[in-house]
Amino acid sequence: MEFISKCTSDTISNAAQALIDGHLVAFPTETVYGLGADATNEKAVSSVYSVKGRPVGHPLIVHISSINKLDQWAINIPEYAIQLAREFWPGPMTLILPRTDLAKDYITGGQNNVGLRVPAQPVALALLNKFEQFGGQGIAAPSANRFGAVSPTTADAVVEELGDYFDSDDLVLDGGQCLVGIESTIIDCTGALAKILRPGAITEEMVEQVVDKKVVVTEGESEIKASGLLDSHYAPKAKISLNSIAEPGDGFLALSKFQTPVGAIRLASPGSLEQYARDLYSALRSADRQGLKKVAILAPEGAGLAEAIRDRLTKAATR
Ligand code: TXA
Ligand code: MG
C-alpha cells in the first residue's frame, strides 16, 4: 500500500489508473474516507469486502462525477430524486434508485436498486473525472474502516484501520480532514415519497423543502439492507456511555458549553453541531489510542444535524 500525501494531477492520474487495473484506492470525501474500487470489476469489489471484513450481500454506494452520469446507473428516476440531485450534488447525499444492468448483484447485494452519490471533495471529484476519462463508470466505495468500526476522517485513520489488509499495489490518497465528518444522508427514492434511511448533513428539513412533500424517516427498520442500519455500528473499542456522568479516568465528549467533569479526559470541545460532526470520529479514535475503557458523551439535542449525530452515537453505544 502506498500513502500519497500530496495529491497532484499526476498522483490522481496514477490512482485512477490503479482503479482501472483492479486495485483499491482509499480516497477522501467530504463525509468520511471511502475505500474505492471500480464498480464494474467484480474481483476488485470482492477485495473491498475482504479488506473491510464486511459480510457479502451488503450493498455498496457507487460514486459518480456528476448528475449527468445518473442514467448510466439508474432508471425510472422519479422527479423528486432529480430535484434532490440538482439541489444537493455534489454533496453528502446518497440516492437509492432502481438500477440499470450496469449495477450488478455484487454492488447492490442482489437488490434491484443502487445507491449513488456525487461527493463534494476536490480530490474525490478529480479522481472520479480522471477515472471516467480512462473509461471507468463509477467508483464503489464504502467507508474505509473494518466492518462495524469507526469511519475514518483522515488518511492516517484509514491506514490505522486497514493498513494491515491492503495489497502492495493499493493506494491511500491524503486529502486532509473530512469537513462534514459523518456519512452521507441516504434517501430511498424507489417509492412515491422520499424516505430517509440514514440521517446526515442533508437534513429532513432540507429534503422536505426540495421535494415539497412529506418525507418518511425510517428508524432502521427498512426492508432494504443497509449495514449502517444495523443496531450496532460506528463503534470504538471503548464503551460509550450516553448522557451519563463521566467519572475520573473516563473520556468525555460534549459541546464546548459543557464543562469537563473532574478527572475526566476531554476528547473534543466542539463549539457547534457542524464541529461536533467533524470531531466525532477522531475523538472516538483518540479514546482507543489512549486505551480508555469508557467514554461519557453528552449527545446534542434538537433536530437537523443533531439527529444524525445522535444516530451515530446511539449505534456506537450499542453492542
Ligand atoms: O458518506 C458516505 O456515504 C460514505 C462515503 C465514502 O461516500 N460511504 C459510506 O458507505 O458510508 P458505507 O458502505 O459505509 O455505508 C453505506 C450504507 C450501507 O449501510 C449500505 O448498506 C447502504 O448504504 N446502501 C448502499 N447501497 C444501498 C442500496 N442499494 N440500498 C440500500 N442501502 C444501500
Ligand atoms: Mg460504513
Side-chain angles (χ1 to χ4, degrees):
M1 179 222 30
E2 193 187 343
F3 185 99
I4 297 170
S5 56
K6 284 218 173 62
C7 295
T8 62
S9 65
D10 273 358
T11 56
I12 285 176
S13 194
N14 290 343
Q17 189 59 51
L19 286 168
I20 297 278
D21 293 341
H23 304 300
L24 304 185
V25 175
F27 63 97
T29 81
E30 77 279 32
T31 58
V32 299
Y33 274 71
L35 177 60
D38 178 348
T40 63
N41 181 334
E42 183 168 13
K43 196 155 164 279
V45 170
S46 81
S47 308
V48 168
Y49 281 87
S50 53
V51 167
K52 266 188 77 84
R54 185 179 190 163
V56 284
H58 285 281
L60 298 179
I61 297 172
V62 177
H63 297 70
I64 50 179
S65 67
S66 89
I67 189 172
N68 300 332
K69 306 282 173 195
L70 203 48
D71 290 343
Q72 291 185 347
W73 290 94
I75 44 167
N76 301 332
I77 306 172
E79 186 52 36
Y80 73 81
I82 304 272
Q83 286 168 338
L84 286 170
R86 285 217 183 100
E87 185 71 25
F88 298 122
W89 278 351
M93 176 185 75
T94 297
L95 300 181
I96 309 291
L97 290 161
R99 66 172 168 179
T100 63
D101 289 343
L102 194 56
K104 300 284 192 259
D105 285 351
Y106 58 80
I107 287 292
T108 72
Q111 304 175 85
N112 286 326
N113 48 62
V114 61
L116 295 164
R117 176 160 111 82
V118 180
Q121 208 282 0
V123 172
L125 283 172
L127 180 67
L128 280 162
N129 279 308
K130 240 327 155 206
F131 177 70
E132 287 169 6
Q133 232 177 39
F134 290 166
Q137 285 166 299
I139 302 179
S143 52
N145 51 277
R146 292 286 285 170
F147 181 66
V150 179
S151 301
T153 52
T154 63
D156 285 336
V158 174
V159 176
E160 189 178 277
E161 275 286 319
L162 302 178
D164 290 346
Y165 303 90
F166 279 119
D167 266 355
S168 55
D169 291 323
D170 298 337
L171 303 173
V172 179
L173 294 179
D174 183 357
Q177 199 198 349
C178 301
L179 288 180
V180 174
I182 57 172
E183 303 79 356
S184 62
T185 307
I186 300 182
I187 308 175
D188 176 3
C189 301
T190 60
L193 297 179
K195 199 198 267 184
I196 298 182
L197 301 182
R198 179 174 73 182
I202 303 299
T203 64
E204 184 185 345
E205 294 72 20
M206 291 160 79
V207 173
E208 226 152 45
Q209 284 203 343
V210 171
V211 303
D212 207 22
K213 271 195 200 149
K214 208 173 103 51
V215 173
V216 184
V217 181
T218 65
E219 302 267 346
E221 70 227 349
S222 158
E223 61 288 1
I224 294 186
K225 272 182 281 178
S227 62
L229 305 178
L230 298 176
D231 288 343
S232 173
H233 214 80
Y234 317 111
K237 293 191 182 68
K239 183 180 178 308
I240 304 286
S241 170
L242 281 188
N243 304 326
S244 68
I245 300 187
E247 285 155 34
D250 287 350
F252 180 68
L253 170 60
L255 283 163
S256 57
K257 65 183 180 191
F258 296 103
Q259 274 189 349
T260 311
V262 176
I265 298 142
R266 186 105 195 187
L267 298 170
S269 245
S272 64
L273 290 175
E274 285 72 22
Q275 193 66 43
Y276 201 128
R278 202 174 298 150
D279 288 350
L280 175 61
Y281 291 150
S282 57
L284 297 182
R285 275 179 194 284
S286 141
D288 281 349
R289 226 175 296 117
Q290 296 178 63
L292 303 182
K293 295 276 173 295
K294 196 179 120 206
V295 181
I297 301 184
L298 300 184
E301 290 175 353
L305 190 55
E307 226 162 300
I309 295 169
R310 285 199 304 275
D311 168 73
R312 306 307 192 275
L313 287 175
T314 310
K315 284 172 181 149
T318 305
R319 9 191 108 215

